[in-house]
Amino acid sequence: MRRRNPACIKERIDMANHVGGLHDRLNRISHWDVNVTDLGRSRSWYEATTTLRVVAQTRASQGFPSFGIESGSFKGYLLKDTELPRGVPMIHLVQWENPTPVGTPYRSQANVGWYRICPIVEDIEATRAVVIAQGSKPFAPTTLAKVCFHPGTREIDYRVFTVHDPDGVAVEFVDKLVMGPGGFTQVPATVAHNTANVEKYFPFYHELLGLDFLQGAQTQGKVPNVYAPGGGESGFTGAFFGVRGNGLVFFDWLQWLESPDLPSPYAEPNHVGIVRCAIEVDDLDAAHEILKRSTWAQQYPILIGGIEEWDFGPQWGVRRVLNFKDPEGVAFQLVEQPGSRLGVLHPYGRGAQFG
């Protein structure tokens, strides 16, 4: 853990009074937490069907005050696309041990909350065969459609299919051809989540969280619903957001036709499914002050506790975190960037270079 300089903290907090949101505090998306019931089974499934691989094992046993858990524990794996450079977001598979997992993932693509993980793959039909071999049944045939979600963008050669992972989390596989010339494989490209009111809550994401508004996204009428096992047709409007100019991995935030009727995200931190997005920030104290002093915090219970230290075990270490929710109850976490253990001048001593 890096030492906190009180004068520096005060200066950062004072600066927070003069900015409108978290934009200048954000570094990157760190990971999404996905609660599972059998950690080994889920790891095997994702490693068999995607380019995700374990880069660290996590294990925590402590109190989680913001969750109302006096003494809890979980184990997990941080998985990263090893074909992409360092710093891309990870998927954190988590199996709670105390309390044990509860519930099942959303069954509708429109439910408010985190719904689907989207990998971009080399060959959609080869991936489909691998997924089926793992025992997962796609909801529909692979799409072969021309679609356009914004009049200012090109028509997309849309080739996707969606399945459930072993716990019922939706995973939408996307052929790299969808990305156009130069498209490449990537896991995840996004982890999509939903709102019941795009216009009402857009300022929370753009102004308070400080996310870059990359583009609007909308269907022209209803389209085949290939994202949930119920099928049928649906439509959506929404936005794609990025973090600090990085559009490689983005937030796919949508209001489906059915979303106003499905307004309740997971309430329990140990609920099975995609439960939160963790975003790395450079200074957690300053970020906390921005959230606390926002008008959103006066109107909605977005803060669910103060800054905590979570010990993820020897492979990922101790991290300072702050848990919060958007106004609809969709969960997020801010994680402070760790100080470098090599961050010291003259590591062999001042003047050592002279012999």
Side-chain angles (χ1 to χ4, degrees), residues 106 111-114 193-196 201 204-205 253 263-269 274-277 300-304 324-332:
Y106 308 122
N111 209 113
V112 171
W114 300 102
H193 72 299
N194 302 317
T195 176
Y201 299 118
F204 176 86
Y205 283 88
W253 182 65
S264 301
Y266 304 134
E268 306 90 349
I274 311 166
V275 289
R276 77 184 57 83
C277 177
Y300 299 93
I302 63 172
L303 290 168
I304 56 174
F324 70 100
K325 297 180 179 181
D326 81 357
E328 296 178 276
V330 180
F332 286 84

Side-chain angles (χ1 to χ4, degrees), residues 130-173:
V130 170
V131 166
I132 292 172
Q134 291 296 310
S136 296
K137 182 180 179 180
F139 302 155
T142 302
T143 60
L144 295 172
K146 300 287 187 180
V147 300
C148 188
F149 298 131
H150 190 291
T153 62
R154 65 179 178 83
E155 190 176 58
I156 299 172
D157 188 9
Y158 201 52
R159 303 183 185 185
V160 307
F161 70 88
T162 311
V163 299
H164 280 150
D165 80 355
D167 281 297
V169 173
V171 181
E172 178 195 355
F173 290 93

Side-chain angles (χ1 to χ4, degrees), residues 300-327:
Y300 299 93
I302 63 172
L303 290 168
I304 56 174
I307 293 174
E308 302 174 7
E309 287 192 355
W310 284 18
D311 186 348
F312 288 92
Q315 294 187 20
W316 214 52
V318 177
R319 306 287 169 121
R320 299 178 80 231
V321 306
L322 176 70
N323 292 295
F324 70 100
K325 297 180 179 181
D326 81 357

